[in-house]
Each structure stands twice: as structure tokens, then as C-alpha cells.
């Protein structure tokens, strides 16, 4: 009887697991069917529009920069309907090749009618805008690529969506993201892998990778992403776009589903009620040029934003006045942070940009960011895994883990004592460690509320130290590298800490943006063969493999300013862009 009971229990457990997997699969299939049905409906609507207006100049509209497009929409020489359907058609084409969209927003046609009935035209009147998956839009899902989020419909537009609508913009598409948002690739088990439109073998970056692919492919002229470790700047770098991360509190950082739920739960797990967010998430624009970013920021930093979200800090500064400034800048610069040396093409592009800025009359000052190893190993990763990764792992309950995240998930599953023992044993063999084992030392935890508060104090102390170093050199802005060129798909998950160049400015909460300035040359590719990185260890070898075969792909630089100096950062980005075009 005991054996029979045991056998029956095992069989019942097997059936239960099979049913659970089947239920998950059905949810995924339903989400994909809903996506496909939405695509067919939009394709039909576009076809009907084309039959009614066969003379619409699609290519001419798609080629217009945002500032010129807004001018024509404002003066009435282009209709919002023609522009919307032109971008809907192009977005359909781009997503067929890249899988960058999760869904279209059918309500865009209602918004089209509403803006045409408004008396006053907003700054983004008639502009189709794409938004990242987890930015809330009423009546739609915000999945974060997770099965457990498929049943939760957003009940109200996020503040950002409300402000976009007030300014006359038409949110029309929701773009794909990596599972749980904690990746700079763009893949999840529900909607699949998004590809880079410039090279389908390459990743578009993440976590705003769907935005990057859609805009780079020409299917959107302006997109909104979010950034907590480089999630706007990395896709912009990989896809050859301009992307901007403001100071986090400038644009609704605690909007609906913006801060990853697992991060807030992580802080609660160590005893912090109403937890502060020591490394906050920031919303920001992505577009083809810096002028588009400046216009978007000007539109969003309006009175409506501050009425809807009183937590925002209202800085009464004329963005146009600072952005249009011509005074010479004192620019700090570095081509490596000493933590993760970047490929030859990135360092070459940065040196070329330094030379161009110097020739244009700006003062260039060597700058070395302090203690990057400490920032990466202690400040950044301990914020995200203060509870040992428990909250993050809970997000995958009953779900399949995407291959790009398996390395990190497996590390988090190791018991805390096991991590400490392994780190102690393997520390002397640091340079001989396989790639996966090197993650172990990074997933350190906060063992008490006191330790968590001390950790937050350490972040504030580092910010103070960094700003003191900056002001001692009397810098206006800093020019530095950003990870690139685009990685081959699958590689971002194997190189989590390669993004120290962007992570630093999330810890500091400084405004930062990227500007494409060059492309990978044959000479860069040849020099890559000699690349040894920092330690010539497995991580350096993996980076070399990740960026190989990138001739012709864009290379970007990163521009940084002090907190709340978004206008100055954008002005510096514009200067870099102008000089790169002249060159």
C-alpha cells in the first residue's frame, strides 16, 4: 500500500506539472493570437486608407525629420491621418522583419479624431509615437515579457501617455521587451526575439530593444523607453539612434508599472516599507536625431505633467535658450572606465570626437571616474539583488525562463551560504573562472534593514564624491564611451557587467544620452583580432565574439551632465552630432 500511495503521488505530481505547463502554453498562444489578430486589423485599415488616398507620398513623409514633420502638420500641409497611416504601414513592414512590436494600439484612431477637434495644437500635434511595453496604456496589457502579467489590464493611462495626448501626439504601437526587463537583449518566451534592422544577426539591445528596432527600421519617428542600467542608451547605441535618459525624477519615475515590481519587492523583502529606490528608473525619448529628443522633452516638461504628478521637480529653465547656446564648454573625457575595456571602434570614435570638439574651440580635460569596480560590484548589483534575487525569481514562477536570462537566474538560485563559500573558494582563481561562475560574487545580499540603509548611504556618499571630483575640475559636461557596436543575439545575457559605461550614470542619477558618431571600419575589425580587454579572460574573449562581424554598424558616444541639467546635456549632444555630421 505504501508503494502504491507513493506511486500515485508521483503520478499526480507529474499530471499537475503537465497541466501547469499546458496552461502556461495556452496563455502564450492566446497572447500571440491576439497580437496576430491586431496586426491583421491594422493591415486591413491601412489597405482601406490606401485605396481612398492612393496619392499619399509615403517615402516623402517617412524621410522628414521630426521638426519638419511637426511644422507641416501645424501649418496643415500634411494631415495627421495621412501621417498616422503612413507610419502604421511602415511599422507593419518593420515588425515583419524584426519582430519589434507586441501590438498596435487601435485607440490611435480615436486619438486622431480627438486632436482634430481640439482648438489648440500641441507641440507634438499629429505625431505618431511608439511606447515601450511596460508604460501603461488604458485597456492594454503591460506584460514585461512575463506570463503572470498576461491577465492584468491597465485601468488608466500613465501620466506620460496622458501628457503625450495633451500635446497632440498619437500613441500607436507597443514595442517588445526582454523578459522581466532585466536584460540588454530583447527576447521573451511570449513574443520571441527582436532583431536588429541593420543586421538580423545582431541584437537591437535592451530593454527598450523593440523601440530601437522600430525607430531604426523607420517604423516610428519618436519612441519612449525607460532606463535603469542603460535600457535607452544601449538600444540607441546598437541601432544607430539618439537616446536620452534624464534625471529620473524629471519625467514621472513612479508611473504605472515603470519601476520594475520585482525591484520594489526586493527592498520590501529586506524590511523596507515604502522603499526608496536608490537606483531609480527613468523615462526618456529615442529618435533619429537630437533635435527630436529636445522637442520631446520640451513637450513633456509642460504644466500638465506637473499637475498630474506633483512629485516632479519643476525647473523653470528655458530649454530652447540653453539648447541653442554657443558658448565653449569645458568637457571632461575618458575612453575607458577601467572596468570593462570596450572594442577598438568605440575607443577610436571617442578619440575622434575629442579631437573634433577641441578643434571646434571647446576645452577638453582628461577625467577618470572614481572606483568603478566598487560601483559595479557593490552599489549597482547589490541594489537589484539585496534580497539575494528572491523577488526577481518570483517573477518567473510558473513561467519558462528565457535563454538570455538563464545564467543570472541560475546564480540567484544558489543558496546565500553557497554563494559566499563559492566566492571565497574561487576568488584566488578569478582570472581562470568560467564565465557563469564569475557571476556568483556579484549577487551579494543585504542581510538586514540596517545594512540596506547603510547601502543607500554608500550610494549617496559616492554621488557626493563623484560630484566633488567633477566640480573640482570645473567641468560642464563629460564625454565617455557607451557599449557597442551591436552584439550578436544571445551574447548580452552572457555579459551582464559589460554595461558599466551606462550603469554608472544610473547609480549617479545623472542625465545621459548617446549620439551615433561613426561606423565600424575594416581597420577596427582587424584591430579587434588583437583585442585582449582588461585581463584576457573568458569575459574579454566573449566580448570579442559578441561584437565581431560588425563592419558598417553604428558606433556611438555618451554625453553626460550633472543632475537636473538636461538642457545642457542635450545641447552637448547636439554639438557632438553636428561635428560628427560635418566630419
Amino acid at each position: 500500500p505504501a508503494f502504491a500511495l507513493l506511486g500515485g503521488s508521483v503520478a499526480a505530481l507529474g499530471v499537475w506539472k503537465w497541466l501547469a505547463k499546458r496552461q502556461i502554453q495556452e496563455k502564450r498562444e492566446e497572447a500571440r493570437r491576439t497580437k496576430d489578430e491586431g496586426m491583421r486589423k491594422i493591415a486591413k485599415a491601412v489597405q482601406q486608407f490606401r485605396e481612398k488616398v492612393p496619392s499619399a507620398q509615403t517615402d516623402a513623409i517617412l524621410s522628414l525629420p521630426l521638426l519638419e514633420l511637426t511644422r507641416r502638420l501645424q501649418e496643415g500641409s500634411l494631415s495627421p491621418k495621412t501621417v498616422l497611416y503612413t507610419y502604421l504601414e511602415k511599422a507593419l513592414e518593420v515588425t515583419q522583419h524584426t519582430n519589434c512590436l507586441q501590438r498596435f494600439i487601435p485607440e490611435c484612431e480615436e486619438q486622431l479624431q480627438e486632436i482634430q477637434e481640439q482648438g489648440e495644437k500641441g507641440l507634438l500635434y499629429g505625431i505618431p509615437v511608439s511606447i515601450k511595453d511596460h508604460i501603461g496604456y488604458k485597456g492594454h496589457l503591460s506584460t514585461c515579457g512575463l506570463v503572470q502579467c498576461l491577465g492584468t489590464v491597465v485601468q488608466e493611462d500613465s501620466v506620460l501617455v496622458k501628457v503625450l495626448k495633451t500635446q497632440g501626439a498619437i500613441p500607436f504601437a507597443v514595442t517588445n521587451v526582454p523578459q522581466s526587463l532585466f536584460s540588454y537583449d530583447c527576447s521573451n518566451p511570449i513574443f520571441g526575439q527582436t532583431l536588429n534592422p541593420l543586421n538580423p544577426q545582431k541584437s537591437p539591445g535592451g530593454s527598450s530593444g523593440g523601440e530601437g528596432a522600430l525607430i531604426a527600421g523607420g517604423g516610428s519617428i519618436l519612441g519612449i523607453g525607460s532606463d535603469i542600467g542603460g535600457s535607452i542608451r544601449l538600444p540607441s547605441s546598437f541601432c544607430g539612434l539618439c537616446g536620452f535618459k534624464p534625471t529620473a525624477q524629471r519625467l514621472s519615475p513612479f508611473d504605472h508599472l515603470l519601476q520594475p515590481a520585482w525591484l520594489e519587492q526586493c527592498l520590501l523583502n529586506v524590511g523596507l516599507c515604502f522603499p526608496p529606490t536608490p537606483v531609480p528608473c527613468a523615462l526618456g525619448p529615442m529618435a533619429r536625431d537630437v533635435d527630436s529628443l529636445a522637442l520631446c522633452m520640451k513637450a513633456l516638461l509642460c504644466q500638465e505633467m506637473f499637475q498630474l504628478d506633483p512629485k516632479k521637480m519643476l525647473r523653470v529653465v528655458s530649454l530652447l535658450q540653453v539648447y541653442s547656446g554657443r558658448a565653449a564648454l569645458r568637457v571632461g573625457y575618458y575612453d575607458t572606465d577601467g572596468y570593462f575595456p570596450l572594442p577598438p571602434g568605440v575607443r577610436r570614435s571617442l578619440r575622434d570626437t575629442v579631437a573634433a570638439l577641441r578643434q571646434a574651440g571647446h576645452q577638453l580635460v582628461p577625467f577618470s571616474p572614481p572606483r568603478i569596480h566598487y560601483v559595479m560590484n557593490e552599489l549597482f548589483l547589490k541594489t537589484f539583488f539585496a534580497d539575494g534575487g528572491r523577488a526577481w525569481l518570483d517573477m518567473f514562477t510558473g513561467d519558462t525562463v528565457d535563454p538570455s536570462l538563464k545564467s543570472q537566474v541560475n546564480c540567484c538560485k544558489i543558496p546565500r551560504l553557497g554563494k559566499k563559500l563559492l566566492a571565497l573558494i574561487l576568488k584566488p582563481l578569478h582570472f581562470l573562472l568560467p564565465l557563469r561562475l564569475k557571476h556568483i560574487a556579484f549577487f551579494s545580499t543585504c542581510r538586514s534593514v540596517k545594512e540596506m540603509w547603510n547601502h543607500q548611504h554608500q550610494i549617496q556618499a559616492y554621488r557626493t564624491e563623484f560630484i566633488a571630483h567633477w566640480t573640482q575640475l570645473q567641468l560642464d559636461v563629460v564625454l565617455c564611451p557607451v557599449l557597442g557596436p551591436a552584439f550578436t543575439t544571445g551574447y548580452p545575457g552572457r555579459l551582464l557587467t559589460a554595461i558599466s559605461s551606462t550603469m554608472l550614470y544610473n547609480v549617479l542619477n545623472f542625465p545621459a544620452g548617446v549620439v551615433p558618431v561613426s561606423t565600424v571600419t575594416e581597420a577596427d575589425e582587424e584591430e579587434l583580432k588583437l583585442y585582449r580587454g582588461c585581463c584576457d579572460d573568458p569575459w574579454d574573449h566573449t566580448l570579442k565574439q559578441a561584437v565581431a562581424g560588425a563592419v558598417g554598424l553604428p558606433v556611438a558616444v555618451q554625453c553626460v551632465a550633472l543632475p537636473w541639467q538636461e538642457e545642457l546635456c542635450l545641447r552637448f549632444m547636439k554639438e557632438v552630432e553636428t561635428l560628427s555630421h560635418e566630419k
Side-chain angles (χ1 to χ4, degrees), residues 158-178:
S158 60
V159 169
L160 181 127
V161 168
K162 289 178 180 177
V163 175
L164 284 171
K165 289 180 175 180
T166 299
Q167 290 286 16
I170 306 174
F172 76 106
V174 175
T175 51
N176 201 26
V177 294

Side-chain angles (χ1 to χ4, degrees), residues 114-340:
E114 288 184 20
I115 66 166
Q116 291 176 323
E117 293 169 3
Q118 290 174 356
E120 186 177 348
K121 296 178 180 179
L123 290 175
L124 296 174
Y125 174 76
I127 299 298
V129 177
S130 49
I131 58 175
K132 188 175 179 178
D133 159 81
H134 72 136
I135 296 172
Y137 195 101
K138 184 178 179 180
H140 287 258
L141 299 173
S142 288
T143 70
C144 297
L146 295 159
V147 166
Q148 65 174 263
C149 296
L150 285 175
T152 307
V153 176
V154 177
Q155 298 301 311
E156 183 181 5
D157 282 343
S158 60
V159 169
L160 181 127
V161 168
K162 289 178 180 177
V163 175
L164 284 171
K165 289 180 175 180
T166 299
Q167 290 286 16
I170 306 174
F172 76 106
V174 175
T175 51
N176 201 26
V177 294
Q179 190 179 31
S180 83
L181 307 182
F182 195 72
S183 172
Y184 64 102
D185 204 340
C186 191
S187 172
N188 65 74
I190 305 170
F191 301 106
Q193 173 78 52
T194 298
L195 304 176
N196 192 316
L198 307 179
N199 182 336
Q201 304 301 316
K202 298 291 184 177
S203 168
S207 61
S208 307
E211 283 298 325
L214 181 63
I215 299 168
S220 177
I221 196 167
L222 179 64
I224 305 295
S226 63
D227 193 312
I228 201 169
S231 294
I232 287 172
R233 289 161 290 159
L234 292 168
S236 297
S237 170
F238 283 19
C239 294
L241 303 173
C242 296
F244 184 60
K245 178 201 81 69
T247 310
Q249 291 78 9
R250 203 77 195 267
L251 296 177
S252 290
F254 302 112
D255 216 342
H256 176 77
L257 285 180
L258 177 58
Q259 196 76 26
W262 60 267
L263 176 55
E264 296 193 3
Q265 186 59 48
C266 162
L267 297 174
L268 288 169
N269 284 346
V270 295
L272 290 179
C273 296
F274 306 105
T277 48
V279 181
C281 190
L283 282 172
M286 299 168 65
R288 302 173 199 164
D289 55 56
V290 180
D291 282 342
S292 300
L293 305 181
L295 176 62
C296 182
M297 289 298 295
K298 183 180 178 183
L300 293 174
L301 293 172
C302 62
Q303 194 60 41
E304 181 79 7
M305 169 73 76
F306 302 100
Q307 289 173 349
L308 290 169
D309 190 351
K311 298 187 295 296
K312 304 282 81 48
M313 177 179 282
L314 176 58
R315 290 184 73 241
V316 185
V317 176
S318 170
L319 188 146
L320 184 61
Q321 182 179 352
V322 177
Y323 183 65
S324 303
R326 288 292 176 265
L329 297 171
R330 188 171 167 87
V331 182
Y333 72 93
Y334 58 93
D335 66 0
T336 179
D337 59 16
Y339 186 85
F340 212 111

Side-chain angles (χ1 to χ4, degrees), residues 460-482:
Q460 293 299 332
Y462 180 78
R463 288 173 180 160
T464 301
E465 175 189 350
F466 195 99
I467 291 172
H469 185 37
W470 180 301
T471 53
Q472 184 181 19
L473 294 173
Q474 299 180 320
L475 302 179
D476 294 312
V477 289
V478 160
L479 178 75
C480 56
V482 60

Side-chain angles (χ1 to χ4, degrees), residues 30-43:
E30 182 181 355
R32 291 167 192 154
R33 284 194 298 269
T34 302
K35 170 186 174 180
D36 292 342
E37 183 181 349
M39 298 286 176
R40 285 193 293 270
K41 287 181 178 178
I42 291 296

